[in-house]
Every structure is written in structure tokens, then in C-alpha cells.
Amino acid sequence: MSQIKIEEVKPSFERIGLHSHIKGLGIRDGKVQFVADGFVGQVEAREAAYYVVKMIKAGKFGGKAVLIVGPPGTGKTALAIGIARELGQDTPFVQLSGAEIYSMEIKKTEFLTRALRSAIGVRIREWRRVYEGVVKSVDYQFGRHPLNPYAQIPRGATIVLKTKDEEKRLRVSAEIAEQLIELGVEEGDVIMIDEETGRVFVQGRGEGEGGEAYDIGVKRKVEVPKGPVYKEKEITRFFTLNDLDMYQARQQGLISAMIFGFVTEEREIPNEVRKAVDEFVMKLINDGKGELVPGVLFIDDVHMLDIETWAFLSRAMESELSPIIIMATNRGITKIRGTDIESPHGVPLDMLDRLVIIRTKPYTADEVREIIKIRAREEKVNLSDDALEILTKIGTEESLRYAIQLLAPAQLRAQEVGHKEIRKEDVEYVRKLFMSVKESVQYVHEYENLFLR
């Protein structure tokens, strides 16, 4: 038997997210693990977050929001992502900074409303008449392009679909033929065509059906459908409330264009549109055709929000159609923006009283060491023991973020001098090139007279 040789082709550019290693809260059998799901330490904060997740799942979190407070680099954003992961893989997660709310394009309330509604999903189930099966053959008919005599466009297609019980030969229109070409449909693909809309869905590759066989392919393998080719099938689709708002607003814009002869581009979605969408969604839910999927809206740097925004969020928390709002800040006593009033974390006291507050604490040396190990694995960096120890010391004395930021330049330095792994001297070399926050402050004080004011 000939041996099949498979070589992995690595992309030339790969970006690792700052929190791509977070998979959950690290809970096993109801107990918080010291190291699990990308988390290290912060056991008390993660346990508190776990209780928040249980309250949300039990439907006992209405009218509340979460505030995560702690020094910089103590895992506040990671905690918010962990909560979203625990709620489910398809849970919408919208992340923004308090500074993003102040836009010149739209009002603060409109920006926040879109963010809130983007964090609420709607799973719609409906029965549709569809053609479904494995593609046995597809034959396209082309014609001359009306504007370019040297180009051809599809005029239609003939496609043979087969299930385990039936085979049908179908003639389809140019619109469907164009979709088949764009989606790269070929023999052996399992597809579904919606009879009403003509939309084509590629479900995957039929197991053991037609076409050339590959050991590794992009399309996932699916079971060949049973029953007739033409059938009524329950289709599940997922939207956010903001998706439905935008669609409804465009539909109204087209109607205005037909009546008045022009289209006005509205920067803000009218309340009537959102009200109509809410009524439509509630009717779907009451009829058993839809399901609401509350997501997470994470607002970082909430100390930048002004008093008007806090009033808006306070009202939004009480709405039936509201996502889980999680906020974070690294500030202590500071002024509430737009006022001269000082308050803990820059949050009005009446709002602070309604929040579930979770605190994060500075990491210990052991926790810093484990986090650096996880980040090194995530970034595919090999560390020697002495390099790990000096990075741990830097993370403890300077900051964890600074220690993690030194991983990439230290790896490049190690490659340049021919080291197979990052050594202590590589870390010390790049540390001289890049300053920490403490060193930057010291540098400013040292040359204060030379800097412009």
C-alpha cells in the first residue's frame, strides 16, 4: 500500500488575539480550578462570575448588570469573555470601549441602542419548501453579456440532486446558477435550495458521494439526506435584533424611494422601525417559531461614560429585550464625566448600588509564571527555564502586560542569533530596547525640562 504524505502548510501571517486562549471560566464539577480554560488564579473573581452565569441561566438576573473592578492587567476583559463562553458558543458578544460612544456620526443613545440590540440574538425556526440532496451533476448554460460582448454570463443551469431514496433533474434560473458558481458547488456537495427565495445553502460534502475524493478538504462531511428531494423542512436561522432593525429600515427606505423618487440615508433608525421589529420577534416567540438568545455587551473603561449615558443604561437594564451588560474599569475614586461629583470608579452611586460588583486582584509570582507559560504556548514560543524566571520577575515587579509584550521581540532576537528557544540574554537584550511604564515615568521625570509642555 502506498503511503500518503501530508504536509502542513503554515500561513505566512497569523495573528494571535490577546484573549484567544480564554475558553471559559475554568469550572470543573462546580469547582474553580487554579489553572483551566486559559485562566490562572483569580479564583474568587471566577467563582463570583460562575454564580453570575448560574443566575443568568436561571432567569434571575433581570434589571442587573456586572461591574468588574481591579488594577490594570488583572484579567477583567478575560473574565467577561469567560462569562460569555460559559453561556454558550453561539452567545452574541459585543465589546466596546467607553470612548467609542462619543461619535460625531450618530448620537450616543443611538450608538448604545445599536450595541445593545447587536448583543441580543434571535433564533428563528420556520418550515420551508426546499430542494435538498447530493449534487450528481451540474451543467451551466451561458449567454453573451449584454454590456461586454467578450464576456459570458450564466443564463441558467441543469442540476441533478439525489437523496438516499430519490433522484431529480432540475432546471434552475440564472440567479440560482450564479449562486452555484459563486459558492463553488461541485459533484458530491450536499446543497439545499429554498423554493421561495431561490437561495442556495451548501451544507457540506456528502460522505462517499461523487466527485474527486480528498484526504483533507475544506468542506465538512455530512450525511446524505433521506426521503424525497423536494420536501418541507424546518430551517433554523440566527439574527441579532440590530440585523432585523437594519433590514426593516432598508425596506422602508425602498418604499420611500418608490413613492417620492429618492432615497434618504438615515443615520439613525426610527423608533417605529424598532417597535415593529420587537412586535415581530415577540409574535415569533409566542407562536413557538422563535427563541431569544440574550448575549453579552461588554463595555470597558466605563469611567469614561458621562451622566447622560449612565441614565440611559439604567433605563436599558430594565427593558425586557436587554442583553447581559458587563462593565469594567481600572479607576478608583474619580469624577463622573459631565459633573464635578467624585464617585468610586466614576460610576454614579445610585447606579453603583444596582450593579453586581466583582473585584480582581494583582497576580502573585506563581500566577504570573503560569500565565506567561500559557501565552508562550498560544504564541508558539519556546522558553528556557532562566528566560521564564526573568519574565516572571519582570511581570511581578513591572507589569504582566509588559512581560507578555517582550515575548515576541525576544523570540525574533533568539532567531537572529540562532537560539532554538528564548534564553535569558534574549529577554535582557530586548528589555533594554523597550521601556516599561515605570521606566517611562522615570524617563519623563529625568528629562522633564527638555520635553515640550
Side-chain angles (χ1 to χ4, degrees), residues 92-137:
F93 183 81
V94 178
Q95 180 176 353
L96 55 94
S97 169
E100 295 179 52
I101 294 172
Y102 306 100
S103 168
M104 297 298 291
E105 296 291 328
I106 56 177
K107 293 190 299 186
K108 292 177 291 186
T109 53
E110 175 67 15
F111 181 91
L112 278 170
T113 302
R114 292 188 185 185
L116 287 163
R117 293 175 73 84
S118 294
I120 304 175
V122 182
R123 193 180 290 115
I124 299 175
R125 298 183 299 273
E126 58 181 338
W127 288 91
R128 310 283 292 188
R129 286 284 179 180
V130 299
Y131 293 90
E132 183 184 41
V134 179
V135 177
K136 299 301 294 183
S137 67

mmCIF file of all heavy atoms in Angstrom, residues 92-137:
data_model
loop_
_atom_site.group_PDB
_atom_site.id
_atom_site.type_symbol
_atom_site.label_atom_id
_atom_site.label_comp_id
_atom_site.label_asym_id
_atom_site.label_seq_id
_atom_site.Cartn_x
_atom_site.Cartn_y
_atom_site.Cartn_z
ATOM 1 N N PRO A 92 -24.121 35.860 21.515
ATOM 2 C CA PRO A 92 -23.539 37.079 20.933
ATOM 3 C C PRO A 92 -22.672 37.805 21.964
ATOM 4 O O PRO A 92 -23.054 37.925 23.134
ATOM 5 C CB PRO A 92 -24.772 37.911 20.564
ATOM 6 C CG PRO A 92 -25.903 36.938 20.488
ATOM 7 C CD PRO A 92 -25.587 35.858 21.470
ATOM 8 N N PHE A 93 -21.515 38.272 21.534
ATOM 9 C CA PHE A 93 -20.608 39.006 22.419
ATOM 10 C C PHE A 93 -20.176 40.277 21.707
ATOM 11 O O PHE A 93 -19.518 40.228 20.669
ATOM 12 C CB PHE A 93 -19.392 38.148 22.776
ATOM 13 C CG PHE A 93 -18.444 38.821 23.743
ATOM 14 C CD1 PHE A 93 -18.712 38.820 25.096
ATOM 15 C CD2 PHE A 93 -17.300 39.461 23.298
ATOM 16 C CE1 PHE A 93 -17.851 39.444 26.006
ATOM 17 C CE2 PHE A 93 -16.424 40.082 24.187
ATOM 18 C CZ PHE A 93 -16.710 40.066 25.549
ATOM 19 N N VAL A 94 -20.571 41.411 22.245
ATOM 20 C CA VAL A 94 -20.237 42.715 21.666
ATOM 21 C C VAL A 94 -19.329 43.434 22.651
ATOM 22 O O VAL A 94 -19.677 43.604 23.821
ATOM 23 C CB VAL A 94 -21.505 43.553 21.392
ATOM 24 C CG1 VAL A 94 -21.126 44.920 20.840
ATOM 25 C CG2 VAL A 94 -22.427 42.821 20.426
ATOM 26 N N GLN A 95 -18.155 43.840 22.171
ATOM 27 C CA GLN A 95 -17.180 44.509 23.036
ATOM 28 C C GLN A 95 -16.911 45.916 22.522
ATOM 29 O O GLN A 95 -16.691 46.128 21.332
ATOM 30 C CB GLN A 95 -15.872 43.710 23.067
ATOM 31 C CG GLN A 95 -14.796 44.322 23.939
ATOM 32 C CD GLN A 95 -13.545 43.453 24.021
ATOM 33 O OE1 GLN A 95 -13.531 42.334 23.518
ATOM 34 N NE2 GLN A 95 -12.500 43.957 24.643
ATOM 35 N N LEU A 96 -16.951 46.879 23.424
ATOM 36 C CA LEU A 96 -16.636 48.253 23.038
ATOM 37 C C LEU A 96 -16.016 48.988 24.224
ATOM 38 O O LEU A 96 -16.101 48.533 25.369
ATOM 39 C CB LEU A 96 -17.876 48.987 22.521
ATOM 40 C CG LEU A 96 -19.115 49.042 23.427
ATOM 41 C CD1 LEU A 96 -19.112 50.317 24.248
ATOM 42 C CD2 LEU A 96 -20.383 49.003 22.601
ATOM 43 N N SER A 97 -15.390 50.097 23.924
ATOM 44 C CA SER A 97 -14.783 50.934 24.948
ATOM 45 C C SER A 97 -15.682 52.132 25.227
ATOM 46 O O SER A 97 -16.444 52.568 24.348
ATOM 47 C CB SER A 97 -13.403 51.415 24.488
ATOM 48 O OG SER A 97 -12.911 52.425 25.348
ATOM 49 N N GLY A 98 -15.594 52.652 26.437
ATOM 50 C CA GLY A 98 -16.403 53.817 26.770
ATOM 51 C C GLY A 98 -16.147 54.996 25.856
ATOM 52 O O GLY A 98 -17.037 55.821 25.623
ATOM 53 N N ALA A 99 -14.940 55.081 25.289
ATOM 54 C CA ALA A 99 -14.605 56.196 24.401
ATOM 55 C C ALA A 99 -15.325 56.107 23.061
ATOM 56 O O ALA A 99 -15.525 57.127 22.384
ATOM 57 C CB ALA A 99 -13.096 56.238 24.171
ATOM 58 N N GLU A 100 -15.709 54.902 22.625
ATOM 59 C CA GLU A 100 -16.338 54.724 21.311
ATOM 60 C C GLU A 100 -17.725 55.341 21.236
ATOM 61 O O GLU A 100 -18.248 55.582 20.150
ATOM 62 C CB GLU A 100 -16.438 53.236 20.972
ATOM 63 C CG GLU A 100 -15.103 52.540 20.801
ATOM 64 C CD GLU A 100 -15.280 51.060 20.489
ATOM 65 O OE1 GLU A 100 -16.038 50.748 19.558
ATOM 66 O OE2 GLU A 100 -14.681 50.225 21.175
ATOM 67 N N ILE A 101 -18.339 55.571 22.384
ATOM 68 C CA ILE A 101 -19.718 56.055 22.398
ATOM 69 C C ILE A 101 -19.821 57.478 21.867
ATOM 70 O O ILE A 101 -20.838 57.873 21.301
ATOM 71 C CB ILE A 101 -20.277 55.957 23.839
ATOM 72 C CG1 ILE A 101 -20.373 54.482 24.230
ATOM 73 C CG2 ILE A 101 -21.625 56.635 23.975
ATOM 74 C CD1 ILE A 101 -20.720 54.255 25.676
ATOM 75 N N TYR A 102 -18.731 58.238 22.002
ATOM 76 C CA TYR A 102 -18.765 59.639 21.602
ATOM 77 C C TYR A 102 -18.373 59.772 20.135
ATOM 78 O O TYR A 102 -17.230 60.000 19.788
ATOM 79 C CB TYR A 102 -17.856 60.460 22.522
ATOM 80 C CG TYR A 102 -18.202 60.256 23.968
ATOM 81 C CD1 TYR A 102 -17.459 59.396 24.765
ATOM 82 C CD2 TYR A 102 -19.312 60.889 24.524
ATOM 83 C CE1 TYR A 102 -17.795 59.184 26.098
ATOM 84 C CE2 TYR A 102 -19.661 60.680 25.849
ATOM 85 C CZ TYR A 102 -18.907 59.827 26.627
ATOM 86 O OH TYR A 102 -19.257 59.617 27.937
ATOM 87 N N SER A 103 -19.353 59.577 19.276
ATOM 88 C CA SER A 103 -19.137 59.608 17.830
ATOM 89 C C SER A 103 -19.761 60.861 17.243
ATOM 90 O O SER A 103 -20.793 61.345 17.708
ATOM 91 C CB SER A 103 -19.752 58.361 17.180
ATOM 92 O OG SER A 103 -19.793 58.488 15.782
ATOM 93 N N MET A 104 -19.128 61.385 16.190
ATOM 94 C CA MET A 104 -19.659 62.562 15.503
ATOM 95 C C MET A 104 -20.750 62.174 14.502
ATOM 96 O O MET A 104 -21.481 63.025 14.010
ATOM 97 C CB MET A 104 -18.535 63.290 14.768
ATOM 98 C CG MET A 104 -17.447 63.838 15.676
ATOM 99 S SD MET A 104 -18.059 65.072 16.833
ATOM 100 C CE MET A 104 -18.427 66.417 15.711
ATOM 101 N N GLU A 105 -20.864 60.879 14.187
ATOM 102 C CA GLU A 105 -21.807 60.432 13.167
ATOM 103 C C GLU A 105 -23.224 60.309 13.711
ATOM 104 O O GLU A 105 -24.182 60.751 13.098
ATOM 105 C CB GLU A 105 -21.348 59.084 12.596
ATOM 106 C CG GLU A 105 -20.010 59.143 11.870
ATOM 107 C CD GLU A 105 -20.088 59.933 10.574
ATOM 108 O OE1 GLU A 105 -21.157 59.918 9.945
ATOM 109 O OE2 GLU A 105 -19.094 60.580 10.210
ATOM 110 N N ILE A 106 -23.356 59.657 14.871
ATOM 111 C CA ILE A 106 -24.684 59.418 15.434
ATOM 112 C C ILE A 106 -24.675 59.792 16.920
ATOM 113 O O ILE A 106 -23.629 59.919 17.539
ATOM 114 C CB ILE A 106 -25.115 57.942 15.273
ATOM 115 C CG1 ILE A 106 -24.066 57.009 15.904
ATOM 116 C CG2 ILE A 106 -25.333 57.600 13.816
ATOM 117 C CD1 ILE A 106 -24.445 55.546 15.850
ATOM 118 N N LYS A 107 -25.868 59.929 17.478
ATOM 119 C CA LYS A 107 -25.991 60.295 18.885
ATOM 120 C C LYS A 107 -25.524 59.154 19.780
ATOM 121 O O LYS A 107 -25.497 57.997 19.374
ATOM 122 C CB LYS A 107 -27.443 60.649 19.205
ATOM 123 C CG LYS A 107 -27.932 61.919 18.533
ATOM 124 C CD LYS A 107 -29.287 62.344 19.075
ATOM 125 C CE LYS A 107 -30.363 61.311 18.838
ATOM 126 N NZ LYS A 107 -31.706 61.772 19.224
ATOM 127 N N LYS A 108 -25.181 59.495 21.027
ATOM 128 C CA LYS A 108 -24.740 58.485 21.987
ATOM 129 C C LYS A 108 -25.816 57.424 22.197
ATOM 130 O O LYS A 108 -25.520 56.227 22.253
ATOM 131 C CB LYS A 108 -24.409 59.149 23.327
ATOM 132 C CG LYS A 108 -23.198 60.042 23.315
ATOM 133 C CD LYS A 108 -22.996 60.706 24.665
ATOM 134 C CE LYS A 108 -24.077 61.717 24.970
ATOM 135 N NZ LYS A 108 -23.826 62.481 26.205
ATOM 136 N N THR A 109 -27.059 57.875 22.325
ATOM 137 C CA THR A 109 -28.139 56.935 22.582
ATOM 138 C C THR A 109 -28.343 55.973 21.417
ATOM 139 O O THR A 109 -28.634 54.796 21.618
ATOM 140 C CB THR A 109 -29.447 57.691 22.863
ATOM 141 O OG1 THR A 109 -29.685 58.622 21.795
ATOM 142 C CG2 THR A 109 -29.361 58.444 24.178
ATOM 143 N N GLU A 110 -28.175 56.467 20.182
ATOM 144 C CA GLU A 110 -28.319 55.604 19.007
ATOM 145 C C GLU A 110 -27.195 54.579 18.961
ATOM 146 O O GLU A 110 -27.426 53.390 18.677
ATOM 147 C CB GLU A 110 -28.310 56.454 17.731
ATOM 148 C CG GLU A 110 -28.340 55.649 16.438
ATOM 149 C CD GLU A 110 -29.635 54.901 16.214
ATOM 150 O OE1 GLU A 110 -30.635 55.207 16.906
ATOM 151 O OE2 GLU A 110 -29.657 54.006 15.351
ATOM 152 N N PHE A 111 -25.973 55.022 19.249
ATOM 153 C CA PHE A 111 -24.829 54.098 19.257
ATOM 154 C C PHE A 111 -25.032 52.990 20.285
ATOM 155 O O PHE A 111 -24.828 51.807 20.008
ATOM 156 C CB PHE A 111 -23.547 54.880 19.563
ATOM 157 C CG PHE A 111 -22.307 54.029 19.569
ATOM 158 C CD1 PHE A 111 -21.561 53.850 18.416
ATOM 159 C CD2 PHE A 111 -21.884 53.398 20.727
ATOM 160 C CE1 PHE A 111 -20.420 53.061 18.414
ATOM 161 C CE2 PHE A 111 -20.750 52.612 20.744
ATOM 162 C CZ PHE A 111 -20.016 52.441 19.580
ATOM 163 N N LEU A 112 -25.455 53.390 21.498
ATOM 164 C CA LEU A 112 -25.666 52.405 22.559
ATOM 165 C C LEU A 112 -26.824 51.473 22.239
ATOM 166 O O LEU A 112 -26.763 50.271 22.525
ATOM 167 C CB LEU A 112 -25.928 53.117 23.882
ATOM 168 C CG LEU A 112 -24.687 53.595 24.638
ATOM 169 C CD1 LEU A 112 -25.090 54.491 25.797
ATOM 170 C CD2 LEU A 112 -23.887 52.409 25.149
ATOM 171 N N THR A 113 -27.872 52.009 21.638
ATOM 172 C CA THR A 113 -29.022 51.170 21.282
ATOM 173 C C THR A 113 -28.616 50.106 20.275
ATOM 174 O O THR A 113 -28.995 48.934 20.389
ATOM 175 C CB THR A 113 -30.160 52.025 20.713
ATOM 176 O OG1 THR A 113 -30.540 53.010 21.684
ATOM 177 C CG2 THR A 113 -31.365 51.166 20.375
ATOM 178 N N ARG A 114 -27.813 50.496 19.288
ATOM 179 C CA ARG A 114 -27.343 49.516 18.306
ATOM 180 C C ARG A 114 -26.465 48.460 18.962
ATOM 181 O O ARG A 114 -26.552 47.272 18.637
ATOM 182 C CB ARG A 114 -26.570 50.222 17.180
ATOM 183 C CG ARG A 114 -27.440 51.090 16.305
ATOM 184 C CD ARG A 114 -26.676 51.603 15.099
ATOM 185 N NE ARG A 114 -27.468 52.535 14.307
ATOM 186 C CZ ARG A 114 -27.084 53.063 13.152
ATOM 187 N NH1 ARG A 114 -25.886 52.756 12.658
ATOM 188 N NH2 ARG A 114 -27.865 53.898 12.489
ATOM 189 N N ALA A 115 -25.609 48.893 19.881
ATOM 190 C CA ALA A 115 -24.745 47.937 20.572
ATOM 191 C C ALA A 115 -25.567 46.973 21.415
ATOM 192 O O ALA A 115 -25.318 45.757 21.417
ATOM 193 C CB ALA A 115 -23.741 48.691 21.447
ATOM 194 N N LEU A 116 -26.564 47.500 22.143
ATOM 195 C CA LEU A 116 -27.422 46.658 22.976
ATOM 196 C C LEU A 116 -28.169 45.632 22.132
ATOM 197 O O LEU A 116 -28.249 44.450 22.483
ATOM 198 C CB LEU A 116 -28.416 47.525 23.748
ATOM 199 C CG LEU A 116 -27.853 48.347 24.917
ATOM 200 C CD1 LEU A 116 -28.835 49.452 25.309
ATOM 201 C CD2 LEU A 116 -27.575 47.450 26.113
ATOM 202 N N ARG A 117 -28.708 46.071 20.995
ATOM 203 C CA ARG A 117 -29.507 45.172 20.155
ATOM 204 C C ARG A 117 -28.630 44.225 19.337
ATOM 205 O O ARG A 117 -29.089 43.177 18.891
ATOM 206 C CB ARG A 117 -30.443 45.996 19.269
ATOM 207 C CG ARG A 117 -31.498 46.721 20.087
ATOM 208 C CD ARG A 117 -32.360 47.633 19.247
ATOM 209 N NE ARG A 117 -33.302 46.929 18.394
ATOM 210 C CZ ARG A 117 -34.493 46.489 18.792
ATOM 211 N NH1 ARG A 117 -34.876 46.664 20.052
ATOM 212 N NH2 ARG A 117 -35.300 45.888 17.944
ATOM 213 N N SER A 118 -27.357 44.584 19.122
ATOM 214 C CA SER A 118 -26.428 43.655 18.475
ATOM 215 C C SER A 118 -26.056 42.508 19.408
ATOM 216 O O SER A 118 -25.580 41.464 18.958
ATOM 217 C CB SER A 118 -25.157 44.388 18.035
ATOM 218 O OG SER A 118 -25.433 45.330 17.025
ATOM 219 N N ALA A 119 -26.251 42.721 20.714
ATOM 220 C CA ALA A 119 -25.916 41.697 21.700
ATOM 221 C C ALA A 119 -27.113 40.819 22.061
ATOM 222 O O ALA A 119 -27.054 40.063 23.022
ATOM 223 C CB ALA A 119 -25.362 42.359 22.958
ATOM 224 N N ILE A 120 -28.200 40.927 21.302
ATOM 225 C CA ILE A 120 -29.368 40.077 21.523
ATOM 226 C C ILE A 120 -29.633 39.279 20.249
ATOM 227 O O ILE A 120 -29.862 39.860 19.185
ATOM 228 C CB ILE A 120 -30.617 40.902 21.882
ATOM 229 C CG1 ILE A 120 -30.343 41.771 23.106
ATOM 230 C CG2 ILE A 120 -31.806 39.983 22.139
ATOM 231 C CD1 ILE A 120 -31.469 42.708 23.452
ATOM 232 N N GLY A 121 -29.567 37.981 20.336
ATOM 233 C CA GLY A 121 -29.782 37.123 19.179
ATOM 234 C C GLY A 121 -31.206 36.604 19.128
ATOM 235 O O GLY A 121 -31.892 36.493 20.148
ATOM 236 N N VAL A 122 -31.659 36.282 17.926
ATOM 237 C CA VAL A 122 -32.972 35.682 17.711
ATOM 238 C C VAL A 122 -32.770 34.440 16.844
ATOM 239 O O VAL A 122 -32.268 34.550 15.724
ATOM 240 C CB VAL A 122 -33.961 36.650 17.020
ATOM 241 C CG1 VAL A 122 -35.322 35.992 16.875
ATOM 242 C CG2 VAL A 122 -34.063 37.948 17.782
ATOM 243 N N ARG A 123 -33.136 33.290 17.386
ATOM 244 C CA ARG A 123 -33.057 32.041 16.623
ATOM 245 C C ARG A 123 -34.445 31.748 16.072
ATOM 246 O O ARG A 123 -35.377 31.482 16.827
ATOM 247 C CB ARG A 123 -32.561 30.904 17.523
ATOM 248 C CG ARG A 123 -32.162 29.651 16.757
ATOM 249 C CD ARG A 123 -31.681 28.556 17.686
ATOM 250 N NE ARG A 123 -30.386 28.879 18.285
ATOM 251 C CZ ARG A 123 -30.204 29.090 19.576
ATOM 252 N NH1 ARG A 123 -31.230 29.036 20.414
ATOM 253 N NH2 ARG A 123 -29.005 29.357 20.048
ATOM 254 N N ILE A 124 -34.591 31.844 14.748
ATOM 255 C CA ILE A 124 -35.898 31.708 14.104
ATOM 256 C C ILE A 124 -35.997 30.334 13.442
ATOM 257 O O ILE A 124 -35.123 29.938 12.670
ATOM 258 C CB ILE A 124 -36.120 32.813 13.058
ATOM 259 C CG1 ILE A 124 -36.070 34.189 13.730
ATOM 260 C CG2 ILE A 124 -37.456 32.627 12.341
ATOM 261 C CD1 ILE A 124 -36.149 35.348 12.767
ATOM 262 N N ARG A 125 -37.066 29.626 13.767
ATOM 263 C CA ARG A 125 -37.339 28.321 13.156
ATOM 264 C C ARG A 125 -38.587 28.435 12.299
ATOM 265 O O ARG A 125 -39.621 28.917 12.764
ATOM 266 C CB ARG A 125 -37.531 27.249 14.225
ATOM 267 C CG ARG A 125 -36.311 27.012 15.099
ATOM 268 C CD ARG A 125 -36.561 25.891 16.096
ATOM 269 N NE ARG A 125 -37.671 26.225 16.979
ATOM 270 C CZ ARG A 125 -37.540 26.914 18.106
ATOM 271 N NH1 ARG A 125 -36.349 27.336 18.480
ATOM 272 N NH2 ARG A 125 -38.585 27.179 18.869
ATOM 273 N N GLU A 126 -38.495 27.981 11.062
ATOM 274 C CA GLU A 126 -39.654 28.015 10.175
ATOM 275 C C GLU A 126 -39.599 26.856 9.193
ATOM 276 O O GLU A 126 -38.523 26.359 8.847
ATOM 277 C CB GLU A 126 -39.712 29.345 9.424
ATOM 278 C CG GLU A 126 -38.484 29.657 8.602
ATOM 279 C CD GLU A 126 -38.592 30.990 7.894
ATOM 280 O OE1 GLU A 126 -39.731 31.455 7.707
ATOM 281 O OE2 GLU A 126 -37.555 31.548 7.521
ATOM 282 N N TRP A 127 -40.780 26.435 8.752
ATOM 283 C CA TRP A 127 -40.873 25.357 7.775
ATOM 284 C C TRP A 127 -40.850 25.956 6.376
ATOM 285 O O TRP A 127 -41.598 26.885 6.079
ATOM 286 C CB TRP A 127 -42.152 24.545 7.992
ATOM 287 C CG TRP A 127 -42.093 23.693 9.222
ATOM 288 C CD1 TRP A 127 -42.486 24.027 10.474
ATOM 289 C CD2 TRP A 127 -41.570 22.363 9.303
ATOM 290 N NE1 TRP A 127 -42.242 23.004 11.340
ATOM 291 C CE2 TRP A 127 -41.692 21.967 10.673
ATOM 292 C CE3 TRP A 127 -41.009 21.481 8.380
ATOM 293 C CZ2 TRP A 127 -41.277 20.709 11.107
ATOM 294 C CZ3 TRP A 127 -40.608 20.237 8.817
ATOM 295 C CH2 TRP A 127 -40.742 19.858 10.163
ATOM 296 N N ARG A 128 -39.960 25.433 5.535
ATOM 297 C CA ARG A 128 -39.793 25.942 4.172
ATOM 298 C C ARG A 128 -39.859 24.802 3.170
ATOM 299 O O ARG A 128 -39.477 23.662 3.477
ATOM 300 C CB ARG A 128 -38.430 26.646 4.018
ATOM 301 C CG ARG A 128 -38.113 27.666 5.073
ATOM 302 C CD ARG A 128 -38.834 28.944 4.876
ATOM 303 N NE ARG A 128 -38.380 29.666 3.692
ATOM 304 C CZ ARG A 128 -38.757 30.891 3.382
ATOM 305 N NH1 ARG A 128 -39.608 31.532 4.160
ATOM 306 N NH2 ARG A 128 -38.304 31.495 2.312
ATOM 307 N N ARG A 129 -40.341 25.120 1.984
ATOM 308 C CA ARG A 129 -40.309 24.167 0.868
ATOM 309 C C ARG A 129 -38.943 24.265 0.213
ATOM 310 O O ARG A 129 -38.545 25.331 -0.265
ATOM 311 C CB ARG A 129 -41.408 24.492 -0.137
ATOM 312 C CG ARG A 129 -42.803 24.129 0.342
ATOM 313 C CD ARG A 129 -43.022 22.644 0.254
ATOM 314 N NE ARG A 129 -44.332 22.226 0.717
ATOM 315 C CZ ARG A 129 -44.756 20.974 0.735
ATOM 316 N NH1 ARG A 129 -43.935 20.018 0.337
ATOM 317 N NH2 ARG A 129 -45.949 20.665 1.179
ATOM 318 N N VAL A 130 -38.198 23.164 0.200
ATOM 319 C CA VAL A 130 -36.824 23.184 -0.303
ATOM 320 C C VAL A 130 -36.557 21.988 -1.202
ATOM 321 O O VAL A 130 -37.263 20.971 -1.157
ATOM 322 C CB VAL A 130 -35.810 23.173 0.861
ATOM 323 C CG1 VAL A 130 -35.974 24.390 1.750
ATOM 324 C CG2 VAL A 130 -35.914 21.895 1.682
ATOM 325 N N TYR A 131 -35.527 22.138 -2.026
ATOM 326 C CA TYR A 131 -34.937 21.034 -2.779
ATOM 327 C C TYR A 131 -33.602 20.714 -2.117
ATOM 328 O O TYR A 131 -32.740 21.587 -2.016
ATOM 329 C CB TYR A 131 -34.722 21.419 -4.248
ATOM 330 C CG TYR A 131 -36.001 21.643 -5.015
ATOM 331 C CD1 TYR A 131 -36.585 22.909 -5.078
ATOM 332 C CD2 TYR A 131 -36.631 20.602 -5.687
ATOM 333 C CE1 TYR A 131 -37.751 23.133 -5.771
ATOM 334 C CE2 TYR A 131 -37.812 20.811 -6.395
ATOM 335 C CZ TYR A 131 -38.364 22.070 -6.433
ATOM 336 O OH TYR A 131 -39.534 22.281 -7.129
ATOM 337 N N GLU A 132 -33.429 19.475 -1.685
ATOM 338 C CA GLU A 132 -32.227 19.113 -0.950
ATOM 339 C C GLU A 132 -31.695 17.772 -1.427
ATOM 340 O O GLU A 132 -32.464 16.829 -1.660
ATOM 341 C CB GLU A 132 -32.520 19.045 0.553
ATOM 342 C CG GLU A 132 -31.299 18.732 1.407
ATOM 343 C CD GLU A 132 -31.654 18.576 2.868
ATOM 344 O OE1 GLU A 132 -32.710 17.962 3.160
ATOM 345 O OE2 GLU A 132 -30.872 19.050 3.728
ATOM 346 N N GLY A 133 -30.364 17.702 -1.582
ATOM 347 C CA GLY A 133 -29.755 16.439 -1.992
ATOM 348 C C GLY A 133 -28.295 16.611 -2.363
ATOM 349 O O GLY A 133 -27.736 17.708 -2.296
ATOM 350 N N VAL A 134 -27.702 15.483 -2.773
ATOM 351 C CA VAL A 134 -26.314 15.487 -3.235
ATOM 352 C C VAL A 134 -26.288 15.840 -4.710
ATOM 353 O O VAL A 134 -27.104 15.345 -5.499
ATOM 354 C CB VAL A 134 -25.668 14.099 -3.016
ATOM 355 C CG1 VAL A 134 -24.238 14.088 -3.521
ATOM 356 C CG2 VAL A 134 -25.698 13.726 -1.553
ATOM 357 N N VAL A 135 -25.358 16.714 -5.094
ATOM 358 C CA VAL A 135 -25.220 17.104 -6.490
ATOM 359 C C VAL A 135 -24.554 15.952 -7.259
ATOM 360 O O VAL A 135 -23.398 15.612 -6.999
ATOM 361 C CB VAL A 135 -24.385 18.389 -6.629
ATOM 362 C CG1 VAL A 135 -24.190 18.741 -8.099
ATOM 363 C CG2 VAL A 135 -25.048 19.541 -5.884
ATOM 364 N N LYS A 136 -25.295 15.355 -8.188
ATOM 365 C CA LYS A 136 -24.730 14.289 -9.033
ATOM 366 C C LYS A 136 -24.104 14.868 -10.293
ATOM 367 O O LYS A 136 -23.110 14.351 -10.812
ATOM 368 C CB LYS A 136 -25.812 13.267 -9.407
ATOM 369 C CG LYS A 136 -26.450 12.558 -8.219
ATOM 370 C CD LYS A 136 -25.427 11.810 -7.394
ATOM 371 C CE LYS A 136 -24.793 10.638 -8.156
ATOM 372 N NZ LYS A 136 -23.848 9.887 -7.326
ATOM 373 N N SER A 137 -24.691 15.950 -10.789
ATOM 374 C CA SER A 137 -24.125 16.643 -11.948
ATOM 375 C C SER A 137 -24.723 18.038 -12.022
ATOM 376 O O SER A 137 -25.826 18.277 -11.531
ATOM 377 C CB SER A 137 -24.409 15.877 -13.247
ATOM 378 O OG SER A 137 -25.797 15.878 -13.536
#
